[in-house]
Every structure is written in C-alpha cells, then in structure tokens.
Amino acid sequence: MQYLPIHVDTKDTKILIIGGEGAAEAKLRTLIKTEAKLILIAPDINPEIARWAEQGRLTHMQRDFEISDLEGVRLVYAATEDDALNLQIGDLARAKGLLVNAADQKDACDFITPALVDRSPVIVSIGTEGTSPSLARAIKTDLEARLPSTLGALSNIINGLRAKVKRAIPDLSTRQLFWADIFDGKDLINQLRVSGDELTARVDDKLAGHVKDKIGHVSLVGSGPGNPDLLTLAARQRLHSADVIVYDRLVSQGVLDFGRREAEYIYVGKEPGGVSTPQPEINAILVEKALEGLTVVRLKSGDPLIFGRADEEIDALEVAGVKYDIVPGITSAASAAAEIGTSLTTRGHNKAVSFLTGHDAKGFAEHDWKGLAAGGARAAVYMGVGASGFIQGRLLMHGAAKDLAVTVVENASRDSQIIVATTLERLADDIKAHGIKGPAILLLGYSPRSAAKNVLKTEAAPQRKIV
Ligand code: SAH
C-alpha cells in the first residue's frame, strides 16, 4: 500500500485551490461538500465555479497565485490548466511542508482523490493508487446501486443509540461484538434497508437478550492450510465476532487478519522440538475465557478434527459446561492433493487413503507398514518431515517398491509452497537436499499431474505428466 487512506477533518481548515477552469471544477465538486474554508485563486473562473462563489461556498481571489497564499492553509490543489505551473506551485507548497495535489500529474501528488460513494456520514472511498481509474469507477457504480440512499440516516440513528448500548454493555469488546451481531454480514445490503424504527426495536430486543444471558462460547475453527482464500465463510464469521482468538503456530497471518483488531490474540503454538504451550494450559485458557462470558475462537491449522488434539479441548469444555461448536477447515492433505492436481482416491487403484502422523506421543509413530507397503496403497503423512527416514526404512523393510512415487508438499497453498516429486528410496535424501523443514505433507503413492506448478524433481522420480 503506497497510499494511506485517511479521512481528514476539514472543519475549521483552509484549503487552497489554484485554477478556475475544468481541472479546478472537478476537484471542487468534492471539496464543496466538506466543511473546509475554500480559497480559490484564479484570474478567471468558469460559470460553474462563479455560481459556487456567489453561493458563498468558496472565496474567489481574482488574481494570479502568490507564494503568500500558502500561509495558514492545510491542503493545496494545484489545478490550473497549465501542467508546468501546477508543478511549480506544487514544489513551492511542498517546500513549506504542505500536502499537494497537482491535477492529472500523479507523480507530483502527495495525495490523490479516491472515487467516492457518498452517503454522508457514511463514505466509501475507492482507490487504485492511480493505476486504474476506470476500475475504481466501475466499483463505485456497483456500490452506488447497492447501498441504500438511507444509509447516512441509518448511521446517524446508530450514533444516537450508542450511548444507551454503552450504558448497558460497558465492556468495549463485548459492545463491539453486540454491534457486529446487529449487522452480521449475511445479506448485509438488505439489512441496511431497515427503517430507523425497526433498527431501534432490533437494538432494544438484542440488548434485553444480551443482558439476560451473558454466556461465553467456544468455536473450534479450522483455518485451512494457510491461504486465506481457503477459509470457509463460517470461519470468517466466527473470527469476525470473536473476543478472543487462541491460535496455533501454523495459522497464517492472512487468516488472523479476519479477526477484529480489538480482539485478544493468544498464541499457543507448539514449536516442533521447541517451546510449547502444554495442552492442559490451552484447555484452561478456553474454559476460563468462555466462563468470563467471552466469545472464543480456537483456531487450528487445516481441519480442527485432524491431528489437532480437539478431543482434549472438547472434553475440557464439556466438563466445564461451556457451549461450543466446530467449523471444519480444509485439511492439509486435501490442499496438497489439489496443489499436485491429483485425486486422493482413484477408481480401480486405491479404495482407501490413510491419513497418518509421523509422530505420536511416544516419538516416531508405528503403523500397519505391511498394509501400507502393499501394491496400490496410498497415504498422506502429516508431521512426517522429521520421521521421513524412519517411514522410508519401515516401508522398504516391509516390501514396498523402491520406486514408489512420493510427493512432498511443503507450505501447501501458501506463496512459499514447494513441491518435491521423488521416490520412496530417495525420500529422506531429497527432503534434506531441498531443505524441506515443514510444515509438509508426504503423499505416498502419488506423483504430481499437469496442474502442479514448480515441481522439483529428482532424476529417479517418475516423469509422468509433469509440466
Ligand atoms: N489439523 C491440521 C494438521 C495439524 S498437524 C490439518 O488438518 O491439516 C500439523 C501438520 O499439518 C504439519 O506437520 C504438516 O504435516 C501439516 N500441515 C499443516 N499446514 C500445512 C501446509 N500448509 N502444507 C503442508 N502441510 C501442512
């Protein structure tokens, strides 16, 4: 983001506009809606600007620009029809520390004017950092059509109700949650069409209910493999209304960004082989926060019910009588399979696919190696990077083919994703050679197909249908 969008308070400020023709008129169309005192310098002005001057919406000084005009102003619009003059005025103003907008010369602008949907006091501003004004206009047109004309009035009514809600719910984050529920994001455009009376009744109703049963809640939410596009709508809604977000190491920042800024974020990551938050402590945090009446989201990577110790947390919640629900997520094996463009099950090849963990509470996890070594068996191994040598040894020992295709997908769905196509015989060596540290899924019995991008291959790896 090169341009910071901010809404500047124009009350009691002076804004200087130099120019009296089309360029100045275009800027003035927005500026006359503000509360700023507008000073316009130009030897001549067009009829529209003259009309605004007559109406007292701006003060016209009929002469050329002088450097003393910059005294006491906050913003400067250099909007004459002469580009060189605009640049010159811009330089003078900037030297005085003022912010300048030079008409039609983006590179000479300290700020640019966004496209606006004006339902004052609700303002939607759309900017493309000057890259595509036509796109900004298209978005504006769409929003203009969808946002009801009564939006500004509605916002003023909400403002009037705030004091009452604040008295009933003094805690800021609980209060924000209350308002988030009033407009819950589902079918928002229709919700915005309510009349002032309907809205007031809805707020009163909710307020009565809220005060009566202030009971916390925990949602166990799957954050998917990391790419925020793979988050479910339900997960986004839960994040949007959470007071507390308790999250794991593999939850990506892009996903956390769906939470509110005011929410409390508690990191309980378990570093492999490093510092970790003990599970009982995590359970205790969930229970404690919920019993305080807060809405808690327990955010886990992938799907919360796969290798996520969800049962232990659910047990703790049930014992404490805390209400909970579960929002599934895309598990890493599903994401990894999608990234290599292959089906996890193939008719006539494998009737089952196993999801295995490389580690369990005792160390490297044991499995039915004989079954897995049998021809056609397929599996997705979670937490398998450190255990790759062990898995390879066990499978070979039980008769698996040395050239069994294995694909390693690290950071599936994320920008940092790496795909390594290898064989069982070379698995551990290739993991090392390509610096794979995880998080990664080992797909045993799978090779990448044409949809897979940037596949790193070993010489011995199957070359089938790889781009
Ligand atoms: N509940 C999670 C799994 C948690 S166990 C799920 O359903 O995916 C942690 C393991 O998940 C990691 O060791 C790794 O094997 C896998 N994992 C998580 N995110 C991943 C990603 N983006 N790409 C590949 N593997 C991932």
Side-chain angles (χ1 to χ4, degrees):
M1 203 197 283
Q2 188 186 336
Y3 290 80
L4 171 74
I6 54 173
H7 291 205
V8 176
D9 187 358
T10 57
K11 200 160 176 266
D12 299 327
T13 62
K14 264 194 206 162
I15 295 180
L16 186 68
I17 305 104
I18 302 111
E21 302 295 330
E25 182 188 325
K27 302 291 175 195
L28 282 165
R29 283 206 183 277
T30 309
L31 290 173
I32 55 169
K33 294 187 188 164
T34 70
E35 297 189 16
K37 184 164 171 30
L38 305 177
I39 316 282
L40 183 122
I41 316 273
D44 299 304
I45 52 177
N46 73 15
E48 186 70 347
I49 298 179
R51 204 168 55 83
W52 288 329
E54 265 164 42
Q55 292 169 349
R57 298 167 86 172
L58 55 88
T59 306
H60 174 210
M61 318 282 265
Q62 190 168 15
R63 55 170 174 75
D64 284 328
F65 167 77
E66 292 163 11
I67 189 147
S68 59
D69 292 329
L70 298 170
E71 291 308 318
V73 305
R74 165 105 358 132
L75 296 177
V76 178
Y77 287 81
T80 71
E81 304 301 304
D82 177 346
D83 283 355
L85 179 59
N86 290 343
L87 284 182
Q88 220 181 336
I89 296 170
D91 287 344
L92 289 170
R94 206 167 292 114
K96 286 197 171 292
L98 294 168
L99 293 177
V100 185
N101 177 287
D104 295 330
Q105 297 180 82
K106 188 185 150 224
D107 292 342
C109 284
D110 298 312
F111 64 94
I112 47 182
T113 323
L116 293 179
V117 180
D118 180 6
R119 302 279 191 278
S120 288
V122 178
I123 313 279
V124 184
S125 54
I126 304 137
T128 59
E129 305 207 341
T131 55
S132 171
S134 55
L135 177 63
R137 269 195 301 276
I139 298 171
K140 171 189 155 91
T141 308
D142 179 61
L143 289 176
E144 284 283 7
R146 287 196 293 145
L147 292 177
S149 57
T150 49
L151 196 57
L154 193 71
S155 186
N156 284 325
I157 289 168
I158 293 173
N159 195 28
L161 292 167
R162 282 171 65 197
K164 176 159 66 174
V165 175
K166 189 171 180 185
R167 271 196 305 279
I169 312 175
D171 176 59
L172 174 67
S173 59
T174 319
R175 200 161 64 242
Q176 282 166 339
L177 202 63
F178 173 87
W179 281 113
D181 262 4
I182 294 280
F183 298 108
D184 62 10
K186 280 186 231 138
D187 198 14
L188 178 67
I189 300 297
N190 261 329
Q191 287 181 15
L192 294 177
R193 292 186 198 281
V194 290
S195 70
D197 286 350
E198 280 167 331
L199 179 70
T200 308
R202 192 145 101 210
V203 167
D204 285 344
D205 261 14
K206 265 209 181 289
L207 216 46
H210 182 89
V211 175
K212 205 166 78 236
D213 58 10
K214 190 171 162 288
I215 296 175
H217 184 272
V218 176
S219 295
L220 277 80
V221 176
S223 74
N227 184 333
D229 283 354
L230 297 180
L231 207 56
T232 63
L233 281 177
R236 284 174 60 164
Q237 270 156 8
R238 297 298 191 288
L239 281 168
H240 183 65
S241 31
D243 295 315
V244 184
I245 297 172
V246 182
Y247 66 101
D248 279 347
R249 184 174 64 93
L250 296 179
V251 171
S252 67
Q253 187 57 44
V255 168
L256 286 174
D257 285 346
F258 284 107
R260 290 176 306 132
R261 255 180 306 187
E262 301 74 17
E264 181 185 3
Y265 292 82
I266 305 179
Y267 173 71
V268 293
K270 300 188 187 106
E271 309 286 337
V275 191
S276 63
T277 313
Q279 188 64 45
E281 200 173 300
I282 301 175
N283 302 349
I285 293 171
L286 300 181
V287 168
E288 185 187 312
K289 294 289 177 186
L291 292 181
E292 281 173 29
L294 298 169
T295 301
V296 183
V297 162
R298 169 70 174 111
L299 201 51
K300 291 167 176 290
S301 72
D303 182 87
L305 305 183
I306 295 181
F307 301 130
R309 301 186 70 173
D311 274 332
E312 294 166 56
E313 294 174 10
I314 293 169
D315 284 348
L317 296 173
E318 287 188 343
V319 167
V322 172
K323 285 197 191 142
Y324 66 90
D325 67 349
I326 299 171
V327 177
I330 293 181
T331 191
S332 347
S335 170
E339 293 295 343
I340 69 163
T342 194
S343 174
L344 282 171
T345 57
T346 305
R347 203 210 279 234
H349 182 98
N350 64 319
K351 292 190 194 143
V353 53
S354 311
F355 286 5
L356 312 175
T357 173
H359 276 92
D360 63 13
K362 297 197 203 97
F364 293 156
E366 291 292 355
H367 296 284
D368 169 17
W369 301 113
K370 199 154 169 259
L372 287 166
R378 284 171 146 183
V381 184
Y382 292 67
M383 295 172 274
V385 172
S388 58
F390 172 79
I391 294 167
Q392 175 184 353
R394 282 286 197 269
L395 285 173
L396 290 173
M397 193 166 89
H398 286 84
K402 285 182 188 168
D403 65 352
L404 175 76
V406 180
T407 303
V408 181
V409 185
E410 183 181 45
N411 285 315
S413 85
R414 301 182 185 215
D415 290 342
S416 49
Q417 172 175 291
I418 291 178
I419 298 174
V420 177
T422 181
T423 58
L424 184 59
E425 190 182 26
R426 295 193 47 95
L427 175 62
D429 285 347
D430 271 350
I431 282 188
K432 215 163 142 209
H434 292 292
I436 302 292
K437 303 252 156 26
I441 289 286
L442 319 184
L443 294 170
L444 306 180
Y446 299 90
S447 47
R449 299 187 49 146
S450 62
K453 297 200 186 77
N454 305 324
V455 181
L456 308 174
K457 289 171 287 189
T458 67
E459 273 157 38
Q463 302 293 307
R464 182 172 71 101
K465 288 186 187 155
I466 300 174
V467 272

PDB file of all heavy atoms in Angstrom, residues 228-244:
ATOM      1  N   PRO A 228      -5.603 -17.628   2.868  1.00  0.00           N
ATOM      2  CA  PRO A 228      -6.901 -17.161   3.392  1.00  0.00           C
ATOM      3  C   PRO A 228      -8.062 -17.427   2.438  1.00  0.00           C
ATOM      4  O   PRO A 228      -9.203 -17.517   2.872  1.00  0.00           O
ATOM      5  CB  PRO A 228      -6.702 -15.665   3.579  1.00  0.00           C
ATOM      6  CG  PRO A 228      -5.265 -15.392   3.419  1.00  0.00           C
ATOM      7  CD  PRO A 228      -4.612 -16.548   2.746  1.00  0.00           C
ATOM      8  N   ASP A 229      -7.769 -17.589   1.140  1.00  0.00           N
ATOM      9  CA  ASP A 229      -8.858 -17.895   0.196  1.00  0.00           C
ATOM     10  C   ASP A 229      -9.510 -19.237   0.512  1.00  0.00           C
ATOM     11  O   ASP A 229     -10.622 -19.510   0.063  1.00  0.00           O
ATOM     12  CB  ASP A 229      -8.315 -17.991  -1.235  1.00  0.00           C
ATOM     13  CG  ASP A 229      -8.048 -16.621  -1.810  1.00  0.00           C
ATOM     14  OD1 ASP A 229      -8.388 -15.636  -1.137  1.00  0.00           O
ATOM     15  OD2 ASP A 229      -7.490 -16.547  -2.915  1.00  0.00           O
ATOM     16  N   LEU A 230      -8.807 -20.079   1.251  1.00  0.00           N
ATOM     17  CA  LEU A 230      -9.346 -21.411   1.526  1.00  0.00           C
ATOM     18  C   LEU A 230     -10.098 -21.469   2.857  1.00  0.00           C
ATOM     19  O   LEU A 230     -10.425 -22.539   3.347  1.00  0.00           O
ATOM     20  CB  LEU A 230      -8.218 -22.448   1.506  1.00  0.00           C
ATOM     21  CG  LEU A 230      -7.521 -22.587   0.141  1.00  0.00           C
ATOM     22  CD1 LEU A 230      -6.426 -23.634   0.203  1.00  0.00           C
ATOM     23  CD2 LEU A 230      -8.520 -22.954  -0.944  1.00  0.00           C
ATOM     24  N   LEU A 231     -10.369 -20.318   3.420  1.00  0.00           N
ATOM     25  CA  LEU A 231     -11.130 -20.267   4.670  1.00  0.00           C
ATOM     26  C   LEU A 231     -12.625 -20.344   4.355  1.00  0.00           C
ATOM     27  O   LEU A 231     -13.072 -19.769   3.368  1.00  0.00           O
ATOM     28  CB  LEU A 231     -10.819 -18.909   5.312  1.00  0.00           C
ATOM     29  CG  LEU A 231     -10.908 -18.745   6.801  1.00  0.00           C
ATOM     30  CD1 LEU A 231     -10.028 -19.744   7.511  1.00  0.00           C
ATOM     31  CD2 LEU A 231     -10.485 -17.326   7.175  1.00  0.00           C
ATOM     32  N   THR A 232     -13.395 -21.013   5.202  1.00  0.00           N
ATOM     33  CA  THR A 232     -14.842 -21.061   4.946  1.00  0.00           C
ATOM     34  C   THR A 232     -15.487 -19.745   5.387  1.00  0.00           C
ATOM     35  O   THR A 232     -14.930 -19.012   6.206  1.00  0.00           O
ATOM     36  CB  THR A 232     -15.518 -22.200   5.724  1.00  0.00           C
ATOM     37  OG1 THR A 232     -15.348 -21.938   7.116  1.00  0.00           O
ATOM     38  CG2 THR A 232     -14.933 -23.557   5.389  1.00  0.00           C
ATOM     39  N   LEU A 233     -16.689 -19.504   4.856  1.00  0.00           N
ATOM     40  CA  LEU A 233     -17.414 -18.300   5.273  1.00  0.00           C
ATOM     41  C   LEU A 233     -17.743 -18.356   6.755  1.00  0.00           C
ATOM     42  O   LEU A 233     -17.692 -17.356   7.465  1.00  0.00           O
ATOM     43  CB  LEU A 233     -18.716 -18.177   4.478  1.00  0.00           C
ATOM     44  CG  LEU A 233     -18.578 -17.629   3.072  1.00  0.00           C
ATOM     45  CD1 LEU A 233     -19.933 -17.644   2.381  1.00  0.00           C
ATOM     46  CD2 LEU A 233     -18.043 -16.199   3.127  1.00  0.00           C
ATOM     47  N   ALA A 234     -18.062 -19.577   7.232  1.00  0.00           N
ATOM     48  CA  ALA A 234     -18.386 -19.734   8.660  1.00  0.00           C
ATOM     49  C   ALA A 234     -17.181 -19.353   9.511  1.00  0.00           C
ATOM     50  O   ALA A 234     -17.318 -18.700  10.549  1.00  0.00           O
ATOM     51  CB  ALA A 234     -18.821 -21.165   8.949  1.00  0.00           C
ATOM     52  N   ALA A 235     -15.998 -19.761   9.069  1.00  0.00           N
ATOM     53  CA  ALA A 235     -14.782 -19.429   9.830  1.00  0.00           C
ATOM     54  C   ALA A 235     -14.597 -17.912   9.870  1.00  0.00           C
ATOM     55  O   ALA A 235     -14.272 -17.340  10.911  1.00  0.00           O
ATOM     56  CB  ALA A 235     -13.568 -20.099   9.200  1.00  0.00           C
ATOM     57  N   ARG A 236     -14.832 -17.272   8.744  1.00  0.00           N
ATOM     58  CA  ARG A 236     -14.672 -15.815   8.702  1.00  0.00           C
ATOM     59  C   ARG A 236     -15.645 -15.131   9.642  1.00  0.00           C
ATOM     60  O   ARG A 236     -15.295 -14.194  10.351  1.00  0.00           O
ATOM     61  CB  ARG A 236     -14.897 -15.308   7.276  1.00  0.00           C
ATOM     62  CG  ARG A 236     -13.727 -15.585   6.397  1.00  0.00           C
ATOM     63  CD  ARG A 236     -14.001 -15.222   4.977  1.00  0.00           C
ATOM     64  NE  ARG A 236     -14.314 -13.808   4.824  1.00  0.00           N
ATOM     65  CZ  ARG A 236     -14.289 -13.169   3.667  1.00  0.00           C
ATOM     66  NH1 ARG A 236     -13.940 -13.804   2.583  1.00  0.00           N
ATOM     67  NH2 ARG A 236     -14.594 -11.896   3.591  1.00  0.00           N
ATOM     68  N   GLN A 237     -16.884 -15.653   9.655  1.00  0.00           N
ATOM     69  CA  GLN A 237     -17.869 -15.036  10.544  1.00  0.00           C
ATOM     70  C   GLN A 237     -17.484 -15.218  12.007  1.00  0.00           C
ATOM     71  O   GLN A 237     -17.591 -14.300  12.810  1.00  0.00           O
ATOM     72  CB  GLN A 237     -19.252 -15.615  10.281  1.00  0.00           C
ATOM     73  CG  GLN A 237     -19.987 -14.815   9.227  1.00  0.00           C
ATOM     74  CD  GLN A 237     -21.052 -15.607   8.515  1.00  0.00           C
ATOM     75  OE1 GLN A 237     -21.348 -16.734   8.900  1.00  0.00           O
ATOM     76  NE2 GLN A 237     -21.611 -15.038   7.468  1.00  0.00           N
ATOM     77  N   ARG A 238     -17.023 -16.438  12.344  1.00  0.00           N
ATOM     78  CA  ARG A 238     -16.630 -16.670  13.740  1.00  0.00           C
ATOM     79  C   ARG A 238     -15.485 -15.732  14.120  1.00  0.00           C
ATOM     80  O   ARG A 238     -15.465 -15.146  15.199  1.00  0.00           O
ATOM     81  CB  ARG A 238     -16.156 -18.113  13.965  1.00  0.00           C
ATOM     82  CG  ARG A 238     -17.181 -19.180  13.741  1.00  0.00           C
ATOM     83  CD  ARG A 238     -18.357 -19.062  14.699  1.00  0.00           C
ATOM     84  NE  ARG A 238     -19.191 -20.239  14.627  1.00  0.00           N
ATOM     85  CZ  ARG A 238     -19.993 -20.532  13.600  1.00  0.00           C
ATOM     86  NH1 ARG A 238     -20.094 -19.733  12.564  1.00  0.00           N
ATOM     87  NH2 ARG A 238     -20.721 -21.632  13.621  1.00  0.00           N
ATOM     88  N   LEU A 239     -14.516 -15.586  13.224  1.00  0.00           N
ATOM     89  CA  LEU A 239     -13.375 -14.719  13.520  1.00  0.00           C
ATOM     90  C   LEU A 239     -13.825 -13.278  13.695  1.00  0.00           C
ATOM     91  O   LEU A 239     -13.346 -12.557  14.574  1.00  0.00           O
ATOM     92  CB  LEU A 239     -12.349 -14.788  12.379  1.00  0.00           C
ATOM     93  CG  LEU A 239     -11.466 -16.034  12.403  1.00  0.00           C
ATOM     94  CD1 LEU A 239     -10.692 -16.166  11.098  1.00  0.00           C
ATOM     95  CD2 LEU A 239     -10.495 -15.966  13.577  1.00  0.00           C
ATOM     96  N   HIS A 240     -14.771 -12.893  12.859  1.00  0.00           N
ATOM     97  CA  HIS A 240     -15.242 -11.516  12.894  1.00  0.00           C
ATOM     98  C   HIS A 240     -15.907 -11.188  14.231  1.00  0.00           C
ATOM     99  O   HIS A 240     -15.863 -10.054  14.696  1.00  0.00           O
ATOM    100  CB  HIS A 240     -16.218 -11.303  11.729  1.00  0.00           C
ATOM    101  CG  HIS A 240     -16.705  -9.902  11.628  1.00  0.00           C
ATOM    102  ND1 HIS A 240     -15.861  -8.857  11.342  1.00  0.00           N
ATOM    103  CD2 HIS A 240     -17.926  -9.360  11.792  1.00  0.00           C
ATOM    104  CE1 HIS A 240     -16.559  -7.742  11.340  1.00  0.00           C
ATOM    105  NE2 HIS A 240     -17.806  -8.013  11.602  1.00  0.00           N
ATOM    106  N   SER A 241     -16.545 -12.196  14.849  1.00  0.00           N
ATOM    107  CA  SER A 241     -17.240 -11.864  16.097  1.00  0.00           C
ATOM    108  C   SER A 241     -16.501 -12.353  17.342  1.00  0.00           C
ATOM    109  O   SER A 241     -17.058 -12.282  18.427  1.00  0.00           O
ATOM    110  CB  SER A 241     -18.689 -12.379  16.073  1.00  0.00           C
ATOM    111  OG  SER A 241     -18.807 -13.523  15.320  1.00  0.00           O
ATOM    112  N   ALA A 242     -15.264 -12.778  17.198  1.00  0.00           N
ATOM    113  CA  ALA A 242     -14.550 -13.305  18.375  1.00  0.00           C
ATOM    114  C   ALA A 242     -14.010 -12.189  19.264  1.00  0.00           C
ATOM    115  O   ALA A 242     -13.501 -11.192  18.783  1.00  0.00           O
ATOM    116  CB  ALA A 242     -13.393 -14.186  17.915  1.00  0.00           C
ATOM    117  N   ASP A 243     -14.139 -12.413  20.603  1.00  0.00           N
ATOM    118  CA  ASP A 243     -13.460 -11.525  21.565  1.00  0.00           C
ATOM    119  C   ASP A 243     -12.031 -11.986  21.759  1.00  0.00           C
ATOM    120  O   ASP A 243     -11.140 -11.207  22.031  1.00  0.00           O
ATOM    121  CB  ASP A 243     -14.121 -11.627  22.958  1.00  0.00           C
ATOM    122  CG  ASP A 243     -15.538 -11.122  22.957  1.00  0.00           C
ATOM    123  OD1 ASP A 243     -15.759 -10.064  22.376  1.00  0.00           O
ATOM    124  OD2 ASP A 243     -16.414 -11.806  23.530  1.00  0.00           O
ATOM    125  N   VAL A 244     -11.872 -13.319  21.710  1.00  0.00           N
ATOM    126  CA  VAL A 244     -10.563 -13.908  21.985  1.00  0.00           C
ATOM    127  C   VAL A 244     -10.255 -14.903  20.874  1.00  0.00           C
ATOM    128  O   VAL A 244     -11.122 -15.701  20.500  1.00  0.00           O
ATOM    129  CB  VAL A 244     -10.576 -14.669  23.338  1.00  0.00           C
ATOM    130  CG1 VAL A 244      -9.191 -15.201  23.671  1.00  0.00           C
ATOM    131  CG2 VAL A 244     -11.096 -13.796  24.454  1.00  0.00           C
TER     132      VAL A 244
END
